PDB file of all heavy atoms in Angstrom:
ATOM      1  N   GLU I1174      14.646  11.611   5.909  1.00  0.00           N
ATOM      2  CA  GLU I1174      13.415  12.228   6.425  1.00  0.00           C
ATOM      3  C   GLU I1174      13.472  12.229   7.946  1.00  0.00           C
ATOM      4  O   GLU I1174      13.718  11.193   8.559  1.00  0.00           O
ATOM      5  CB  GLU I1174      12.208  11.414   5.937  1.00  0.00           C
ATOM      6  CG  GLU I1174      12.042  11.450   4.417  1.00  0.00           C
ATOM      7  CD  GLU I1174      11.251  10.245   3.895  1.00  0.00           C
ATOM      8  OE1 GLU I1174      11.042   9.286   4.684  1.00  0.00           O
ATOM      9  OE2 GLU I1174      10.844  10.268   2.721  1.00  0.00           O
ATOM     10  N   GLU I1203      10.383   0.729   6.494  1.00  0.00           N
ATOM     11  CA  GLU I1203      10.949   1.947   5.919  1.00  0.00           C
ATOM     12  C   GLU I1203      11.877   2.626   6.908  1.00  0.00           C
ATOM     13  O   GLU I1203      12.840   3.274   6.536  1.00  0.00           O
ATOM     14  CB  GLU I1203       9.834   2.929   5.523  1.00  0.00           C
ATOM     15  CG  GLU I1203      10.371   4.158   4.825  1.00  0.00           C
ATOM     16  CD  GLU I1203       9.530   5.410   5.058  1.00  0.00           C
ATOM     17  OE1 GLU I1203       8.832   5.472   6.080  1.00  0.00           O
ATOM     18  OE2 GLU I1203       9.592   6.296   4.201  1.00  0.00           O
ATOM     19  N   ASP I1225       5.609  -0.015   5.618  1.00  0.00           N
ATOM     20  CA  ASP I1225       5.832   1.401   5.896  1.00  0.00           C
ATOM     21  C   ASP I1225       4.935   1.701   7.090  1.00  0.00           C
ATOM     22  O   ASP I1225       3.717   1.761   6.941  1.00  0.00           O
ATOM     23  CB  ASP I1225       5.460   2.244   4.666  1.00  0.00           C
ATOM     24  CG  ASP I1225       5.807   3.714   4.874  1.00  0.00           C
ATOM     25  OD1 ASP I1225       6.129   4.097   6.024  1.00  0.00           O
ATOM     26  OD2 ASP I1225       5.727   4.483   3.894  1.00  0.00           O
ATOM     27  N   LEU I1227       4.179   4.284   8.939  1.00  0.00           N
ATOM     28  CA  LEU I1227       3.300   5.457   8.924  1.00  0.00           C
ATOM     29  C   LEU I1227       3.634   6.313   7.708  1.00  0.00           C
ATOM     30  O   LEU I1227       4.431   7.243   7.762  1.00  0.00           O
ATOM     31  CB  LEU I1227       3.446   6.264  10.220  1.00  0.00           C
ATOM     32  CG  LEU I1227       2.194   7.059  10.604  1.00  0.00           C
ATOM     33  CD1 LEU I1227       0.982   6.147  10.770  1.00  0.00           C
ATOM     34  CD2 LEU I1227       2.411   7.825  11.888  1.00  0.00           C
ATOM     35  N   ASP I1228       2.979   5.969   6.606  1.00  0.00           N
ATOM     36  CA  ASP I1228       3.270   6.667   5.351  1.00  0.00           C
ATOM     37  C   ASP I1228       2.548   8.018   5.333  1.00  0.00           C
ATOM     38  O   ASP I1228       1.406   8.136   5.762  1.00  0.00           O
ATOM     39  CB  ASP I1228       2.779   5.807   4.180  1.00  0.00           C
ATOM     40  CG  ASP I1228       3.040   6.504   2.865  1.00  0.00           C
ATOM     41  OD1 ASP I1228       4.209   6.525   2.441  1.00  0.00           O
ATOM     42  OD2 ASP I1228       2.083   7.076   2.309  1.00  0.00           O
ATOM     43  N   GLY I1229       3.259   9.025   4.883  1.00  0.00           N
ATOM     44  CA  GLY I1229       2.670  10.362   4.820  1.00  0.00           C
ATOM     45  C   GLY I1229       2.782  11.094   6.139  1.00  0.00           C
ATOM     46  O   GLY I1229       2.071  12.066   6.396  1.00  0.00           O
ATOM     47  N   SER I1230       3.704  10.607   6.981  1.00  0.00           N
ATOM     48  CA  SER I1230       3.741  11.121   8.371  1.00  0.00           C
ATOM     49  C   SER I1230       4.004  12.627   8.426  1.00  0.00           C
ATOM     50  O   SER I1230       3.662  13.279   9.406  1.00  0.00           O
ATOM     51  CB  SER I1230       4.797  10.373   9.182  1.00  0.00           C
ATOM     52  OG  SER I1230       6.029  10.424   8.515  1.00  0.00           O
ATOM     53  N   SER I1231       4.577  13.205   7.357  1.00  0.00           N
ATOM     54  CA  SER I1231       4.819  14.662   7.392  1.00  0.00           C
ATOM     55  C   SER I1231       3.484  15.415   7.446  1.00  0.00           C
ATOM     56  O   SER I1231       3.417  16.579   7.778  1.00  0.00           O
ATOM     57  CB  SER I1231       5.613  15.085   6.160  1.00  0.00           C
ATOM     58  OG  SER I1231       4.916  14.650   4.991  1.00  0.00           O
ATOM     59  N   ASN I1232       2.377  14.702   7.142  1.00  0.00           N
ATOM     60  CA  ASN I1232       1.061  15.361   7.175  1.00  0.00           C
ATOM     61  C   ASN I1232       0.433  15.340   8.563  1.00  0.00           C
ATOM     62  O   ASN I1232      -0.638  15.921   8.778  1.00  0.00           O
ATOM     63  CB  ASN I1232       0.106  14.619   6.212  1.00  0.00           C
ATOM     64  CG  ASN I1232       0.480  14.846   4.754  1.00  0.00           C
ATOM     65  OD1 ASN I1232       0.682  15.987   4.341  1.00  0.00           O
ATOM     66  ND2 ASN I1232       0.602  13.760   3.999  1.00  0.00           N
ATOM     67  N   GLY I1240      -1.183   6.700   6.737  1.00  0.00           N
ATOM     68  CA  GLY I1240      -1.510   5.281   6.608  1.00  0.00           C
ATOM     69  C   GLY I1240      -0.357   4.354   6.911  1.00  0.00           C
ATOM     70  O   GLY I1240       0.811   4.764   6.923  1.00  0.00           O
ATOM     71  N   ILE I1242       1.222   0.724   5.449  1.00  0.00           N
ATOM     72  CA  ILE I1242       1.143  -0.141   4.268  1.00  0.00           C
ATOM     73  C   ILE I1242       1.960  -1.401   4.548  1.00  0.00           C
ATOM     74  O   ILE I1242       3.048  -1.315   5.134  1.00  0.00           O
ATOM     75  CB  ILE I1242       1.726   0.541   3.012  1.00  0.00           C
ATOM     76  CG1 ILE I1242       1.240   1.988   2.886  1.00  0.00           C
ATOM     77  CG2 ILE I1242       1.362  -0.237   1.746  1.00  0.00           C
ATOM     78  CD1 ILE I1242       1.889   2.771   1.753  1.00  0.00           C
ATOM     79  N   VAL I1318      -1.731  13.700  -9.067  1.00  0.00           N
ATOM     80  CA  VAL I1318      -0.279  13.841  -9.241  1.00  0.00           C
ATOM     81  C   VAL I1318       0.125  15.149  -8.577  1.00  0.00           C
ATOM     82  O   VAL I1318      -0.718  16.049  -8.409  1.00  0.00           O
ATOM     83  CB  VAL I1318       0.077  13.871 -10.755  1.00  0.00           C
ATOM     84  CG1 VAL I1318      -0.388  15.167 -11.419  1.00  0.00           C
ATOM     85  CG2 VAL I1318       1.569  13.656 -10.972  1.00  0.00           C
ATOM     86  N   ASN I1319       1.393  15.275  -8.172  1.00  0.00           N
ATOM     87  CA  ASN I1319       1.850  16.539  -7.599  1.00  0.00           C
ATOM     88  C   ASN I1319       2.136  17.499  -8.761  1.00  0.00           C
ATOM     89  O   ASN I1319       3.190  17.429  -9.402  1.00  0.00           O
ATOM     90  CB  ASN I1319       3.112  16.327  -6.748  1.00  0.00           C
ATOM     91  CG  ASN I1319       3.487  17.609  -6.002  1.00  0.00           C
ATOM     92  OD1 ASN I1319       3.220  18.710  -6.510  1.00  0.00           O
ATOM     93  ND2 ASN I1319       4.069  17.472  -4.837  1.00  0.00           N
ATOM     94  N   GLU I1320       1.194  18.382  -9.022  1.00  0.00           N
ATOM     95  CA  GLU I1320       1.273  19.291 -10.190  1.00  0.00           C
ATOM     96  C   GLU I1320       2.501  20.197 -10.120  1.00  0.00           C
ATOM     97  O   GLU I1320       2.952  20.711 -11.127  1.00  0.00           O
ATOM     98  CB  GLU I1320       0.011  20.166 -10.242  1.00  0.00           C
ATOM     99  CG  GLU I1320      -1.291  19.409 -10.378  1.00  0.00           C
ATOM    100  CD  GLU I1320      -1.672  19.143 -11.836  1.00  0.00           C
ATOM    101  OE1 GLU I1320      -0.827  19.363 -12.719  1.00  0.00           O
ATOM    102  OE2 GLU I1320      -2.797  18.678 -12.063  1.00  0.00           O
ATOM    103  N   TYR I1322       5.433  19.466  -9.841  1.00  0.00           N
ATOM    104  CA  TYR I1322       6.580  18.904 -10.551  1.00  0.00           C
ATOM    105  C   TYR I1322       6.268  18.705 -12.037  1.00  0.00           C
ATOM    106  O   TYR I1322       7.071  18.130 -12.767  1.00  0.00           O
ATOM    107  CB  TYR I1322       6.961  17.547  -9.953  1.00  0.00           C
ATOM    108  CG  TYR I1322       7.167  17.528  -8.456  1.00  0.00           C
ATOM    109  CD1 TYR I1322       6.845  16.385  -7.725  1.00  0.00           C
ATOM    110  CD2 TYR I1322       7.651  18.631  -7.765  1.00  0.00           C
ATOM    111  CE1 TYR I1322       7.026  16.342  -6.344  1.00  0.00           C
ATOM    112  CE2 TYR I1322       7.828  18.602  -6.386  1.00  0.00           C
ATOM    113  CZ  TYR I1322       7.511  17.452  -5.691  1.00  0.00           C
ATOM    114  OH  TYR I1322       7.691  17.408  -4.328  1.00  0.00           O
ATOM    115  N   TYR I1350      -5.179  15.665  -5.082  1.00  0.00           N
ATOM    116  CA  TYR I1350      -3.883  15.211  -4.591  1.00  0.00           C
ATOM    117  C   TYR I1350      -3.761  15.551  -3.114  1.00  0.00           C
ATOM    118  O   TYR I1350      -3.822  16.705  -2.735  1.00  0.00           O
ATOM    119  CB  TYR I1350      -2.736  15.861  -5.378  1.00  0.00           C
ATOM    120  CG  TYR I1350      -1.379  15.226  -5.115  1.00  0.00           C
ATOM    121  CD1 TYR I1350      -1.078  13.949  -5.603  1.00  0.00           C
ATOM    122  CD2 TYR I1350      -0.407  15.873  -4.359  1.00  0.00           C
ATOM    123  CE1 TYR I1350       0.158  13.352  -5.371  1.00  0.00           C
ATOM    124  CE2 TYR I1350       0.825  15.278  -4.104  1.00  0.00           C
ATOM    125  CZ  TYR I1350       1.106  14.020  -4.621  1.00  0.00           C
ATOM    126  OH  TYR I1350       2.320  13.438  -4.378  1.00  0.00           O
ATOM    127  N   ILE I1351      -3.630  14.505  -2.279  1.00  0.00           N
ATOM    128  CA  ILE I1351      -3.565  14.712  -0.827  1.00  0.00           C
ATOM    129  C   ILE I1351      -2.113  14.747  -0.362  1.00  0.00           C
ATOM    130  O   ILE I1351      -1.756  15.368   0.624  1.00  0.00           O
ATOM    131  CB  ILE I1351      -4.362  13.593  -0.116  1.00  0.00           C
ATOM    132  CG1 ILE I1351      -5.834  13.639  -0.569  1.00  0.00           C
ATOM    133  CG2 ILE I1351      -4.275  13.716   1.410  1.00  0.00           C
ATOM    134  CD1 ILE I1351      -6.641  12.416  -0.196  1.00  0.00           C
ATOM    135  N   GLY I1352      -1.254  14.018  -1.095  1.00  0.00           N
ATOM    136  CA  GLY I1352       0.158  13.958  -0.709  1.00  0.00           C
ATOM    137  C   GLY I1352       0.410  12.882   0.332  1.00  0.00           C
ATOM    138  O   GLY I1352       1.436  12.858   0.997  1.00  0.00           O
ATOM    139  N   SER I1353      -0.557  11.973   0.479  1.00  0.00           N
ATOM    140  CA  SER I1353      -0.425  10.808   1.345  1.00  0.00           C
ATOM    141  C   SER I1353      -0.837   9.621   0.481  1.00  0.00           C
ATOM    142  O   SER I1353      -2.022   9.500   0.118  1.00  0.00           O
ATOM    143  CB  SER I1353      -1.368  10.969   2.548  1.00  0.00           C
ATOM    144  OG  SER I1353      -0.931  10.278   3.658  1.00  0.00           O
ATOM    145  N   LEU I1354       0.129   8.755   0.141  1.00  0.00           N
ATOM    146  CA  LEU I1354      -0.135   7.715  -0.863  1.00  0.00           C
ATOM    147  C   LEU I1354      -1.370   6.890  -0.546  1.00  0.00           C
ATOM    148  O   LEU I1354      -2.211   6.650  -1.409  1.00  0.00           O
ATOM    149  CB  LEU I1354       1.092   6.797  -0.978  1.00  0.00           C
ATOM    150  CG  LEU I1354       0.936   5.579  -1.899  1.00  0.00           C
ATOM    151  CD1 LEU I1354       0.673   5.986  -3.338  1.00  0.00           C
ATOM    152  CD2 LEU I1354       2.168   4.683  -1.811  1.00  0.00           C
ATOM    153  N   VAL I1355      -1.511   6.486   0.732  1.00  0.00           N
ATOM    154  CA  VAL I1355      -2.635   5.601   1.083  1.00  0.00           C
ATOM    155  C   VAL I1355      -3.956   6.296   0.814  1.00  0.00           C
ATOM    156  O   VAL I1355      -4.894   5.719   0.250  1.00  0.00           O
ATOM    157  CB  VAL I1355      -2.531   5.142   2.561  1.00  0.00           C
ATOM    158  CG1 VAL I1355      -3.748   4.330   2.963  1.00  0.00           C
ATOM    159  CG2 VAL I1355      -1.267   4.323   2.771  1.00  0.00           C
ATOM    160  N   ALA I1356      -4.043   7.593   1.171  1.00  0.00           N
ATOM    161  CA  ALA I1356      -5.291   8.344   0.963  1.00  0.00           C
ATOM    162  C   ALA I1356      -5.552   8.532  -0.535  1.00  0.00           C
ATOM    163  O   ALA I1356      -6.687   8.326  -1.002  1.00  0.00           O
ATOM    164  CB  ALA I1356      -5.212   9.687   1.675  1.00  0.00           C
ATOM    165  N   ASP I1357      -4.517   8.888  -1.292  1.00  0.00           N
ATOM    166  CA  ASP I1357      -4.703   9.107  -2.735  1.00  0.00           C
ATOM    167  C   ASP I1357      -5.060   7.802  -3.441  1.00  0.00           C
ATOM    168  O   ASP I1357      -5.910   7.789  -4.348  1.00  0.00           O
ATOM    169  CB  ASP I1357      -3.439   9.721  -3.355  1.00  0.00           C
ATOM    170  CG  ASP I1357      -3.361  11.233  -3.112  1.00  0.00           C
ATOM    171  OD1 ASP I1357      -4.399  11.912  -3.245  1.00  0.00           O
ATOM    172  OD2 ASP I1357      -2.272  11.730  -2.770  1.00  0.00           O
ATOM    173  N   PHE I1368      -3.551   7.540 -10.483  1.00  0.00           N
ATOM    174  CA  PHE I1368      -2.577   8.203  -9.599  1.00  0.00           C
ATOM    175  C   PHE I1368      -1.203   8.017 -10.231  1.00  0.00           C
ATOM    176  O   PHE I1368      -0.868   6.929 -10.713  1.00  0.00           O
ATOM    177  CB  PHE I1368      -2.593   7.578  -8.208  1.00  0.00           C
ATOM    178  CG  PHE I1368      -1.454   8.046  -7.320  1.00  0.00           C
ATOM    179  CD1 PHE I1368      -1.606   9.162  -6.508  1.00  0.00           C
ATOM    180  CD2 PHE I1368      -0.221   7.390  -7.313  1.00  0.00           C
ATOM    181  CE1 PHE I1368      -0.564   9.616  -5.705  1.00  0.00           C
ATOM    182  CE2 PHE I1368       0.840   7.853  -6.526  1.00  0.00           C
ATOM    183  CZ  PHE I1368       0.655   8.966  -5.719  1.00  0.00           C
ATOM    184  N   LEU I1369      -0.419   9.094 -10.234  1.00  0.00           N
ATOM    185  CA  LEU I1369       0.922   8.995 -10.802  1.00  0.00           C
ATOM    186  C   LEU I1369       1.962   9.617  -9.876  1.00  0.00           C
ATOM    187  O   LEU I1369       1.699  10.664  -9.259  1.00  0.00           O
ATOM    188  CB  LEU I1369       1.027   9.746 -12.132  1.00  0.00           C
ATOM    189  CG  LEU I1369       0.072   9.418 -13.266  1.00  0.00           C
ATOM    190  CD1 LEU I1369      -1.167  10.320 -13.179  1.00  0.00           C
ATOM    191  CD2 LEU I1369       0.753   9.629 -14.617  1.00  0.00           C
ATOM    192  N   TYR I1370       3.117   8.944  -9.743  1.00  0.00           N
ATOM    193  CA  TYR I1370       4.293   9.595  -9.195  1.00  0.00           C
ATOM    194  C   TYR I1370       5.429   9.358 -10.192  1.00  0.00           C
ATOM    195  O   TYR I1370       6.199   8.412 -10.053  1.00  0.00           O
ATOM    196  CB  TYR I1370       4.667   9.119  -7.795  1.00  0.00           C
ATOM    197  CG  TYR I1370       5.455  10.195  -7.077  1.00  0.00           C
ATOM    198  CD1 TYR I1370       4.882  10.974  -6.095  1.00  0.00           C
ATOM    199  CD2 TYR I1370       6.758  10.505  -7.467  1.00  0.00           C
ATOM    200  CE1 TYR I1370       5.578  12.017  -5.488  1.00  0.00           C
ATOM    201  CE2 TYR I1370       7.462  11.547  -6.892  1.00  0.00           C
ATOM    202  CZ  TYR I1370       6.869  12.300  -5.903  1.00  0.00           C
ATOM    203  OH  TYR I1370       7.560  13.341  -5.327  1.00  0.00           O
ATOM    204  N   HIS I1376      14.319  12.979  -8.648  1.00  0.00           N
ATOM    205  CA  HIS I1376      14.013  11.576  -8.305  1.00  0.00           C
ATOM    206  C   HIS I1376      13.935  10.780  -9.601  1.00  0.00           C
ATOM    207  O   HIS I1376      12.849  10.484 -10.091  1.00  0.00           O
ATOM    208  CB  HIS I1376      12.688  11.483  -7.549  1.00  0.00           C
ATOM    209  CG  HIS I1376      12.738  11.979  -6.129  1.00  0.00           C
ATOM    210  ND1 HIS I1376      11.829  12.890  -5.630  1.00  0.00           N
ATOM    211  CD2 HIS I1376      13.581  11.737  -5.101  1.00  0.00           C
ATOM    212  CE1 HIS I1376      12.114  13.162  -4.354  1.00  0.00           C
ATOM    213  NE2 HIS I1376      13.175  12.467  -4.020  1.00  0.00           N
ATOM    214  N   LYS I1380       9.936   8.519  -6.433  1.00  0.00           N
ATOM    215  CA  LYS I1380      10.126   8.742  -4.989  1.00  0.00           C
ATOM    216  C   LYS I1380       9.632   7.553  -4.181  1.00  0.00           C
ATOM    217  O   LYS I1380      10.173   7.254  -3.114  1.00  0.00           O
ATOM    218  CB  LYS I1380       9.376  10.010  -4.566  1.00  0.00           C
ATOM    219  CG  LYS I1380       9.424  10.241  -3.062  1.00  0.00           C
ATOM    220  CD  LYS I1380       8.592  11.428  -2.629  1.00  0.00           C
ATOM    221  CE  LYS I1380       8.691  11.640  -1.116  1.00  0.00           C
ATOM    222  NZ  LYS I1380       7.790  12.724  -0.655  1.00  0.00           N
ATOM    223  N   LEU I1381       8.612   6.870  -4.664  1.00  0.00           N
ATOM    224  CA  LEU I1381       7.950   5.841  -3.860  1.00  0.00           C
ATOM    225  C   LEU I1381       8.787   4.565  -3.822  1.00  0.00           C
ATOM    226  O   LEU I1381       9.467   4.212  -4.798  1.00  0.00           O
ATOM    227  CB  LEU I1381       6.549   5.567  -4.407  1.00  0.00           C
ATOM    228  CG  LEU I1381       5.637   6.803  -4.472  1.00  0.00           C
ATOM    229  CD1 LEU I1381       4.295   6.454  -5.099  1.00  0.00           C
ATOM    230  CD2 LEU I1381       5.458   7.425  -3.107  1.00  0.00           C
ATOM    231  N   ARG I1382       8.712   3.849  -2.689  1.00  0.00           N
ATOM    232  CA  ARG I1382       9.555   2.667  -2.501  1.00  0.00           C
ATOM    233  C   ARG I1382       8.801   1.427  -2.989  1.00  0.00           C
ATOM    234  O   ARG I1382       7.616   1.224  -2.680  1.00  0.00           O
ATOM    235  CB  ARG I1382       9.930   2.519  -1.030  1.00  0.00           C
ATOM    236  CG  ARG I1382      11.137   3.345  -0.584  1.00  0.00           C
ATOM    237  CD  ARG I1382      11.054   4.846  -0.773  1.00  0.00           C
ATOM    238  NE  ARG I1382       9.980   5.475  -0.055  1.00  0.00           N
ATOM    239  CZ  ARG I1382      10.149   6.260   1.013  1.00  0.00           C
ATOM    240  NH1 ARG I1382      11.349   6.478   1.492  1.00  0.00           N
ATOM    241  NH2 ARG I1382       9.105   6.803   1.623  1.00  0.00           N
ATOM    242  N   GLU I1386       5.685   0.242  -0.499  1.00  0.00           N
ATOM    243  CA  GLU I1386       4.633   1.181  -0.916  1.00  0.00           C
ATOM    244  C   GLU I1386       4.017   0.712  -2.240  1.00  0.00           C
ATOM    245  O   GLU I1386       2.826   0.457  -2.321  1.00  0.00           O
ATOM    246  CB  GLU I1386       5.210   2.605  -1.069  1.00  0.00           C
ATOM    247  CG  GLU I1386       5.614   3.240   0.255  1.00  0.00           C
ATOM    248  CD  GLU I1386       6.254   4.620   0.101  1.00  0.00           C
ATOM    249  OE1 GLU I1386       7.053   4.813  -0.835  1.00  0.00           O
ATOM    250  OE2 GLU I1386       5.947   5.511   0.916  1.00  0.00           O
ATOM    251  N   ARG I1419      13.533   2.641  -5.076  1.00  0.00           N
ATOM    252  CA  ARG I1419      12.436   3.514  -5.474  1.00  0.00           C
ATOM    253  C   ARG I1419      12.055   3.221  -6.928  1.00  0.00           C
ATOM    254  O   ARG I1419      12.906   2.855  -7.736  1.00  0.00           O
ATOM    255  CB  ARG I1419      12.840   4.995  -5.355  1.00  0.00           C
ATOM    256  CG  ARG I1419      13.179   5.447  -3.947  1.00  0.00           C
ATOM    257  CD  ARG I1419      13.694   6.862  -3.963  1.00  0.00           C
ATOM    258  NE  ARG I1419      14.245   7.262  -2.668  1.00  0.00           N
ATOM    259  CZ  ARG I1419      13.544   7.891  -1.727  1.00  0.00           C
ATOM    260  NH1 ARG I1419      12.272   8.165  -1.927  1.00  0.00           N
ATOM    261  NH2 ARG I1419      14.110   8.248  -0.586  1.00  0.00           N
TER     262      ARG I1419
HETATM  263  P1  P6P V 873       5.384  14.710  -2.655  1.00  0.00           P
HETATM  264  C1  P6P V 873       4.648  10.748   1.725  1.00  0.00           C
HETATM  265  O1  P6P V 873       5.858  11.365   2.128  1.00  0.00           O
HETATM  266  C2  P6P V 873       4.942   9.993   0.439  1.00  0.00           C
HETATM  267  O2  P6P V 873       5.922   9.035   0.643  1.00  0.00           O
HETATM  268  C3  P6P V 873       3.663   9.362  -0.094  1.00  0.00           C
HETATM  269  O3  P6P V 873       2.768   9.028   0.923  1.00  0.00           O
HETATM  270  C4  P6P V 873       3.092  10.433  -0.999  1.00  0.00           C
HETATM  271  O4  P6P V 873       2.341   9.892  -2.072  1.00  0.00           O
HETATM  272  C5  P6P V 873       4.356  11.135  -1.523  1.00  0.00           C
HETATM  273  O5  P6P V 873       5.383  10.923  -0.559  1.00  0.00           O
HETATM  274  C6  P6P V 873       4.133  12.615  -1.683  1.00  0.00           C
HETATM  275  O6  P6P V 873       5.326  13.157  -2.219  1.00  0.00           O
HETATM  276  O7  P6P V 873       6.713  14.828  -3.360  1.00  0.00           O
HETATM  277  O8  P6P V 873       4.228  14.929  -3.595  1.00  0.00           O
HETATM  278  O9  P6P V 873       5.260  15.497  -1.385  1.00  0.00           O
END
Side-chain angles (χ1 to χ4, degrees):
E1174 295 157 348
E1203 184 210 25
D1225 186 349
L1227 207 58
D1228 179 75
S1230 53
S1231 55
N1232 290 311
I1242 315 174
V1318 70
N1319 187 329
E1320 300 272 11
Y1322 308 147
Y1350 192 71
I1351 300 167
S1353 206
L1354 175 62
V1355 175
D1357 280 318
F1368 170 90
L1369 304 91
Y1370 205 104
H1376 287 129
K1380 175 185 181 185
L1381 303 177
R1382 276 58 61 109
E1386 291 177 320
R1419 298 174 190 267

